[in-house]
Amino acid sequence: MTKRLVIAAVFLSLALFISISSYVYLEITSEKIFSAIDELSEDIYEENAANELISIWDKNKKIYGVFLKHADADMLDRQFIVLEKSILEGDSYTALLTLRELNAYLHITLEGEMLKIENIF
Amino acid sequence: MLTSFVRTGILLIIVIFAVRIMGKRQIGQLQPAELVVTILLSEIAATPMQDNDIPMLNTVVAILVLVSIEIFLSALSMKSIRIRSLLQGNSLILIRNGVIDQAQIKRLRFTLDDLLEALRQKDVFNVSDVQYAIAETDGTLSVMLKPEKRSVSIEDMDIVKEDTGLPCVVVMDGNIIRSDFKDCGMTEEKLRKIIKNTGHDIFDIYLMTVDKAGNTNTVIKERKHD
């Protein structure tokens, strides 16, 4: 039984580690993304303005796919592609619209992952 | 599709491993808590096998938590009688000296048909033959017959019978199985001598068992007929 208890303790620690690390990871990266979105909202008309935001997303999108529902991660990825394309084409109206949509979608998606009473129940 | 294939393989291995970790009790006699965990395990693992949209990590975390809590609960119930009776319930006597305890039957929401069926499965066809019938926590019924209805045992007849122990498998499909040698007092040298006496090569032997008294049972491989 002692051996089993040790395995159970390892399992529980592993589960706790995965849960907490995904929570912390999403919290930290989403902070970075949100601040990059805020900056971009002010300089959306500048060339290469979205570089920082896009590079943050490119670095983290695979891990987002591991932690989030794949449909949500794909949706976010699609929004980033539209944003990048519209900035490249100089279509600042679509870029701003996409940025706002992206901001809202990211907020909703991450809200669902946070440890909150409303999410638990 | 290939993703489903890989995910299913991984999840299957994880679930098999989880059930093994929970112990052999899982398979044979499910207590209420174990039954719940087993059903939940299969349910949790089955959904992401079909739906690639669900992150597999969520499933893995859920399985790890379920298995570890189940092990902790069973350890707790081994330590404390109170927790044990809370998690597993208590066994209840349904028949005493041939008399059915109707209050207990009602409490368990057992019907008379259920009781009679369970008795019949124990080869008991008359309630008055039963000294005690106990509803166990895993839902099975244990029956103790009245002394005059029990089968005669060797002890009753004062016969002395040598204990031959459990027959050990020493050769299986042409291979020597050494793991049980100690239990049946066998050595490889002794075994080779026994095989030689059968007049067969070891590769011709499909199964050979030996008990403590040295009694052997040999099954020779069937030859393929073209």
Side-chain angles (χ1 to χ4, degrees):
Chain A
M1 196 66 198
T2 324
K3 202 176 156 190
R4 279 221 170 106
L5 278 175
V6 172
I7 294 173
V10 171
F11 274 12
L12 203 61
S13 319
L14 191 65
L16 210 60
F17 172 75
I18 295 170
S19 312
I20 292 173
S21 54
S22 76
Y23 182 83
V24 171
Y25 174 83
L26 288 175
E27 184 102 347
I28 291 170
T29 47
S30 58
E31 275 303 311
K32 279 187 200 170
I33 291 174
F34 285 132
S35 71
I37 286 175
D38 284 344
E39 276 177 32
L40 186 61
S41 311
E42 290 162 14
D43 315 316
I44 194 99
Y45 304 106
E46 277 181 29
E47 207 180 319
N48 300 331
N51 280 5
E52 195 195 338
L53 179 63
I54 303 284
S55 76
I56 294 172
W57 177 248
D58 282 343
K59 269 184 209 164
N60 296 293
K61 67 180 178 188
K62 277 189 183 167
I63 306 176
Y64 264 65
V66 173
F67 293 144
L68 297 179
K69 271 194 169 186
H70 298 175
D72 289 337
D74 288 346
M75 183 68 171
L76 286 169
D77 201 30
R78 228 171 287 140
Q79 302 266 25
F80 273 101
I81 290 168
V82 173
L83 177 72
E84 197 176 10
K85 192 173 164 253
S86 52
I87 287 175
L88 278 174
E89 287 172 355
D91 183 357
S92 47
Y93 174 76
T94 312
L96 203 59
L97 194 72
T98 312
L99 197 64
R100 283 191 182 157
E101 265 181 40
L102 185 66
N103 194 17
Y105 200 79
L106 201 59
H107 261 297
I108 294 165
T109 309
L110 293 171
E111 277 288 300
E113 295 297 318
M114 296 297 135
L115 187 66
K116 287 179 177 177
I117 296 288
E118 61 264 36
N119 284 343
I120 293 172
F121 294 100
Chain B
M1 198 72 93
L2 201 61
T3 313
S4 294
F5 180 84
V6 175
R7 282 165 71 101
T8 306
I10 294 171
L11 284 170
L12 184 67
I13 291 166
I14 291 172
V15 172
I16 291 172
F17 186 63
V19 174
R20 284 283 294 118
I21 289 291
M22 282 195 289
K24 282 202 171 110
R25 236 152 47 98
Q26 275 305 111
I27 300 148
Q29 12 160 271
L30 293 170
Q31 297 293 342
E34 295 161 348
L35 179 71
V36 170
V37 172
T38 311
I39 292 170
L40 281 179
L41 259 184
S42 58
E43 196 60 35
I44 286 171
T47 317
M49 279 180 189
Q50 304 154 20
D51 187 358
N52 287 351
D53 195 32
I54 299 168
M56 208 172 73
L57 213 54
N58 289 9
T59 313
V60 173
V61 167
I63 292 174
L64 290 178
V65 172
L66 265 182
V67 171
S68 46
I69 288 178
E70 203 282 324
I71 295 171
F72 285 132
L73 285 180
S74 51
L76 272 178
S77 50
M78 276 173 84
K79 291 257 180 222
S80 156
I81 296 171
R82 204 174 270 186
I83 292 175
R84 187 157 60 230
S85 67
L86 190 75
L87 290 174
Q88 301 178 358
N90 293 311
S91 34
L92 293 170
I93 298 176
L94 301 183
I95 301 173
R96 250 178 242 265
N97 294 319
V99 180
I100 298 172
D101 188 332
Q102 295 182 26
Q104 297 287 34
I105 298 266
K106 270 187 192 161
R107 200 178 143 198
L108 279 179
R109 277 173 284 152
F110 243 54
T111 63
L112 262 180
D113 286 333
D114 292 335
L115 180 66
L116 294 175
E117 189 182 324
L119 284 174
R120 283 197 297 274
Q121 280 169 356
K122 297 273 177 185
D123 294 327
V124 180
F125 292 87
N126 196 341
V127 177
S128 60
D129 293 349
V130 178
Q131 189 168 21
Y132 288 108
I134 301 164
E136 304 292 356
T137 51
D138 61 359
T140 56
L141 190 77
S142 300
V143 179
M144 185 183 180
L145 291 172
K146 284 182 177 169
E148 63 271 22
K149 296 290 177 185
R150 288 178 211 158
S151 312
V152 180
S153 68
I154 288 175
E155 191 187 9
D156 294 333
M157 299 183 80
D158 279 336
I159 298 170
V160 180
K161 189 92 169 82
E162 190 192 358
D163 175 20
T164 55
L166 191 72
C168 308
V169 176
V170 286
V171 179
M172 193 187 277
D173 212 6
N175 296 303
I176 295 178
I177 309 294
R178 294 172 183 84
S179 54
D180 293 341
F181 272 15
K182 217 175 171 183
D183 293 330
C184 52
M186 183 56 61
T187 60
E188 192 157 337
E189 203 179 320
K190 252 173 150 179
L191 179 65
R192 290 202 183 273
K193 211 178 264 179
I194 294 169
I195 294 169
K196 202 176 172 187
N197 287 341
T198 62
H200 291 283
D201 193 79
I202 185 162
F203 301 108
D204 296 331
I205 298 174
Y206 189 57
L207 178 74
M208 180 184 268
T209 59
V210 181
D211 63 22
K212 259 185 189 168
N215 302 317
T216 60
N217 181 30
T218 313
V219 181
I220 303 299
K221 277 184 191 172
E222 281 176 10
R223 298 254 172 241
K224 275 185 185 171
H225 299 286
D226 295 322

